[in-house]
Amino acid sequence: MSQHDDLEYQLDTLALRTGHTRSFEGEHGEPIFLTSSFVYANAAEAAAKFSGQEPGNIYSRFTNPTVAMFEKRLAAIEGAERAVATSSGMAAIMAVAMSFLKQGDHVICSRAVFGSTVAMFEKYVAKFGVQVDFVDLTDLSAWENAIQDNTKLLFVESPSNPLAEVADIQALADLAHAHGALLAIDNSFCTPVLQQPIKFGADLVVYSATKYLDGQGRALGGAVVGSHALLEEVYGYVRTTGPSMSPFNAWVFLKGLETLRLRMREHSSNAQKLAEFLDAHDKVEKVYYAGLRAHVGHELAAKQQTGFGGIVSFEVQGGREGAWTVIDHTQFISITGNLGDAKSTITHPATTTHGKLSADAKAAAGIREGLIRVSVGLEDIDDIIRDLSRGLDLI
Ligand SMILES: *Cc1c(COP(=O)(O)O)cnc(C)c1O
């Protein structure tokens, strides 16, 4: 498929075909270019490629054909101009910070973001004289109040982890743009299948490809998606400083994208059924899933998203003991902090993913001892429900 044809195809076609030129050996699968550098016919060609007069590959820290296929395909299904792949999700977020912030700048970040994102801003980005404030995702006036003359970036994860709070992306984009700042959304939980933040005014979208883009827990990777102009900055940072994606991992993610829509639809459908089951269970005190009408973010999520995703969190009776009883009585659900996998996973946020937070910080973030997070996989939903019921029935 040539690039200008891409505009005529729907997401399902783009997810399987974009970037695959079939120009090498007539192969049907996407080739993996495991090469660090590229060679030229003569000195003049090398000079033309190095100077940028002629497009072409030089070195795989800069560009690699397999990685380029993944970048084109992800940008196409996002409906964005360009994507730059990175070695992990954190590398993508760091690339945004390093590309668009300088000493003296100010960032506003939603409070309930991935733990390493908080540490990245507070411990590393702050070392370079960039100040960061954390605010409540859903409290628009808190965002407005946090704006300063030197605010350059609003960084948001929506829906949040683990409580599935939903940010009003359009309102935050308007706020950012009124003050000359950029809005970046960490869209790892929804993927472009369920949410396309650029349509609501976001400037940059970042991914941990490690999660649903792969979908089978095989490889680490990330990406930044956005306009040509912004992504040229990100590309320059990545090619110069080196958090580039490996060609092999790009190939894994290409395979992941082929089934992304089917998987996200099934994850969402299983999660909805689980959330409804838990909501009706007498040992469950509260369920956090935006697909439930009673969830505070339901209407906004229904407006911004085409599905509610695969992450369901819930609080059980009995605090930590109750939560651990449910976790320890599962037979096949994997006890792990990872998520976005075809296999269901379960974790106790208060003692794992959020274990380092102080008691006050946990309380502020709503991470109670009875809270459990399930990344609902693609197993049969009745089996998933039965696996969770074993412990629930003992509480
Ligand atoms: C996992 C995750 C990250 C970090 O991604 P890595 O690929 O582990 O570096 C960032 N944001 C969200 C929402 C995540 O779930």
Side-chain angles (χ1 to χ4, degrees), residues 88-91 93 114 117 157 161 186 188-189 208-211 220-222 338-339:
S88 69
M90 287 319 303
I93 299 171
F114 192 66
T117 305
E157 204 178 298
N161 174 23
D186 182 336
S188 304
F189 276 33
S208 168
T210 317
K211 312 295 164 52
L220 282 166
N338 201 19
L339 57 91

Short mmCIF file of all heavy atoms in Angstrom, two decimals, residues 88-91 93 114 117 157 161 186 188-189 208-211 220-222 338-339, ligand 1:
data_model
loop_
_atom_site.label_atom_id
_atom_site.label_comp_id
_atom_site.label_asym_id
_atom_site.label_seq_id
_atom_site.Cartn_x
_atom_site.Cartn_y
_atom_site.Cartn_z
N SER A 88 10.64 1.67 24.95
CA SER A 88 9.65 1.32 25.99
C SER A 88 8.65 2.46 26.09
O SER A 88 8.86 3.53 25.49
CB SER A 88 10.34 1.12 27.35
OG SER A 88 10.83 2.36 27.82
N GLY A 89 7.61 2.24 26.87
CA GLY A 89 6.65 3.32 27.09
C GLY A 89 7.30 4.49 27.83
O GLY A 89 7.07 5.66 27.51
N MET A 90 8.13 4.18 28.82
CA MET A 90 8.80 5.26 29.57
C MET A 90 9.73 6.05 28.66
O MET A 90 9.86 7.27 28.79
CB MET A 90 9.57 4.70 30.77
CG MET A 90 8.70 4.25 31.93
SD MET A 90 7.30 5.31 32.33
CE MET A 90 8.09 6.88 32.64
N ALA A 91 10.37 5.37 27.70
CA ALA A 91 11.24 6.09 26.76
C ALA A 91 10.41 7.06 25.92
O ALA A 91 10.88 8.16 25.59
CB ALA A 91 11.98 5.10 25.86
N ILE A 93 7.63 8.61 26.94
CA ILE A 93 7.24 9.73 27.80
C ILE A 93 8.45 10.64 28.04
O ILE A 93 8.34 11.88 27.98
CB ILE A 93 6.62 9.21 29.11
CG1 ILE A 93 5.36 8.38 28.78
CG2 ILE A 93 6.25 10.37 30.04
CD1 ILE A 93 4.79 7.62 29.96
N PHE A 114 0.94 6.48 35.72
CA PHE A 114 1.85 5.36 35.91
C PHE A 114 2.97 5.78 36.86
O PHE A 114 3.53 6.87 36.75
CB PHE A 114 2.41 4.98 34.53
CG PHE A 114 3.15 3.68 34.52
CD1 PHE A 114 2.49 2.49 34.73
CD2 PHE A 114 4.51 3.65 34.26
CE1 PHE A 114 3.17 1.29 34.70
CE2 PHE A 114 5.19 2.45 34.23
CZ PHE A 114 4.53 1.27 34.46
N THR A 117 6.12 7.34 35.67
CA THR A 117 5.93 8.68 35.09
C THR A 117 6.08 9.74 36.18
O THR A 117 6.73 10.77 35.97
CB THR A 117 4.54 8.78 34.41
OG1 THR A 117 4.43 7.73 33.45
CG2 THR A 117 4.37 10.13 33.72
N GLU A 157 -3.17 10.82 31.81
CA GLU A 157 -3.45 9.41 31.52
C GLU A 157 -4.95 9.24 31.72
O GLU A 157 -5.46 9.45 32.81
CB GLU A 157 -2.68 8.56 32.53
CG GLU A 157 -2.38 7.16 32.08
CD GLU A 157 -1.55 6.45 33.16
OE1 GLU A 157 -0.43 6.91 33.46
OE2 GLU A 157 -2.06 5.47 33.72
N ASN A 161 -5.46 4.73 36.13
CA ASN A 161 -5.17 3.41 36.70
C ASN A 161 -4.98 3.58 38.21
O ASN A 161 -4.16 4.39 38.61
CB ASN A 161 -3.88 2.90 36.05
CG ASN A 161 -3.39 1.61 36.64
OD1 ASN A 161 -4.15 0.85 37.23
ND2 ASN A 161 -2.11 1.36 36.48
N ASP A 186 -1.40 9.84 27.61
CA ASP A 186 -0.94 8.46 27.65
C ASP A 186 -2.16 7.58 27.38
O ASP A 186 -3.06 7.47 28.22
CB ASP A 186 -0.32 8.15 29.03
CG ASP A 186 0.23 6.73 29.12
OD1 ASP A 186 -0.23 5.85 28.36
OD2 ASP A 186 1.12 6.51 29.96
N SER A 188 -2.24 4.32 26.59
CA SER A 188 -1.87 2.89 26.62
C SER A 188 -3.06 1.99 26.94
O SER A 188 -3.15 0.87 26.45
CB SER A 188 -0.78 2.64 27.66
OG SER A 188 0.35 3.45 27.41
N PHE A 189 -3.98 2.47 27.79
CA PHE A 189 -5.10 1.62 28.21
C PHE A 189 -6.16 1.48 27.12
O PHE A 189 -6.78 0.44 27.02
CB PHE A 189 -5.76 2.18 29.48
CG PHE A 189 -5.06 1.76 30.75
CD1 PHE A 189 -3.70 1.57 30.77
CD2 PHE A 189 -5.78 1.55 31.92
CE1 PHE A 189 -3.04 1.17 31.93
CE2 PHE A 189 -5.13 1.16 33.09
CZ PHE A 189 -3.77 0.97 33.10
N SER A 208 2.68 2.92 25.85
CA SER A 208 3.48 1.77 26.21
C SER A 208 2.96 0.66 25.30
O SER A 208 1.87 0.12 25.51
CB SER A 208 3.27 1.40 27.68
OG SER A 208 3.84 0.13 27.90
N ALA A 209 3.72 0.35 24.25
CA ALA A 209 3.31 -0.71 23.31
C ALA A 209 3.38 -2.08 23.98
O ALA A 209 2.80 -3.05 23.50
CB ALA A 209 4.20 -0.68 22.07
N THR A 210 4.12 -2.11 25.10
CA THR A 210 4.26 -3.31 25.92
C THR A 210 2.91 -3.89 26.32
O THR A 210 2.80 -5.09 26.59
CB THR A 210 5.04 -2.92 27.21
OG1 THR A 210 6.13 -2.07 26.86
CG2 THR A 210 5.53 -4.13 27.95
N LYS A 211 1.91 -3.05 26.41
CA LYS A 211 0.59 -3.47 26.91
C LYS A 211 -0.26 -3.97 25.74
O LYS A 211 0.10 -4.94 25.12
CB LYS A 211 -0.07 -2.32 27.67
CG LYS A 211 0.86 -1.65 28.69
CD LYS A 211 1.28 -2.56 29.85
CE LYS A 211 2.47 -2.02 30.62
NZ LYS A 211 2.36 -0.65 31.08
N LEU A 220 8.94 -5.24 25.06
CA LEU A 220 8.84 -3.86 25.55
C LEU A 220 8.96 -2.90 24.37
O LEU A 220 9.80 -3.08 23.49
CB LEU A 220 10.00 -3.55 26.51
CG LEU A 220 9.89 -4.09 27.93
CD1 LEU A 220 11.25 -3.99 28.61
CD2 LEU A 220 8.87 -3.29 28.73
N GLY A 221 8.15 -1.86 24.41
CA GLY A 221 8.25 -0.84 23.36
C GLY A 221 7.31 0.30 23.67
O GLY A 221 6.50 0.25 24.60
N GLY A 222 7.46 1.38 22.91
CA GLY A 222 6.60 2.53 23.09
C GLY A 222 6.54 3.34 21.82
O GLY A 222 7.20 3.01 20.83
N ASN A 338 1.54 -6.71 35.61
CA ASN A 338 1.42 -6.31 34.21
C ASN A 338 -0.04 -6.37 33.76
O ASN A 338 -0.89 -6.94 34.42
CB ASN A 338 2.30 -7.21 33.32
CG ASN A 338 2.59 -6.53 31.99
OD1 ASN A 338 2.45 -5.31 31.85
ND2 ASN A 338 2.98 -7.31 31.01
N LEU A 339 -0.30 -5.74 32.63
CA LEU A 339 -1.69 -5.66 32.15
C LEU A 339 -1.67 -5.58 30.63
O LEU A 339 -0.62 -5.44 30.01
CB LEU A 339 -2.38 -4.44 32.75
CG LEU A 339 -1.72 -3.09 32.52
CD1 LEU A 339 -2.25 -2.41 31.28
CD2 LEU A 339 -1.95 -2.17 33.71
C1 LIG B 1 3.27 0.30 31.46
C2 LIG B 1 2.88 1.71 31.31
C3 LIG B 1 3.82 2.70 31.03
C4 LIG B 1 5.30 2.40 30.91
O1 LIG B 1 5.56 1.61 29.81
P1 LIG B 1 6.84 0.63 29.70
O2 LIG B 1 6.66 0.03 28.35
O3 LIG B 1 6.76 -0.33 30.84
O4 LIG B 1 8.04 1.51 29.80
C5 LIG B 1 3.38 3.98 30.85
N1 LIG B 1 2.08 4.30 30.96
C6 LIG B 1 1.13 3.38 31.22
C7 LIG B 1 -0.30 3.78 31.34
C8 LIG B 1 1.50 2.05 31.42
O5 LIG B 1 0.56 1.14 31.72
#
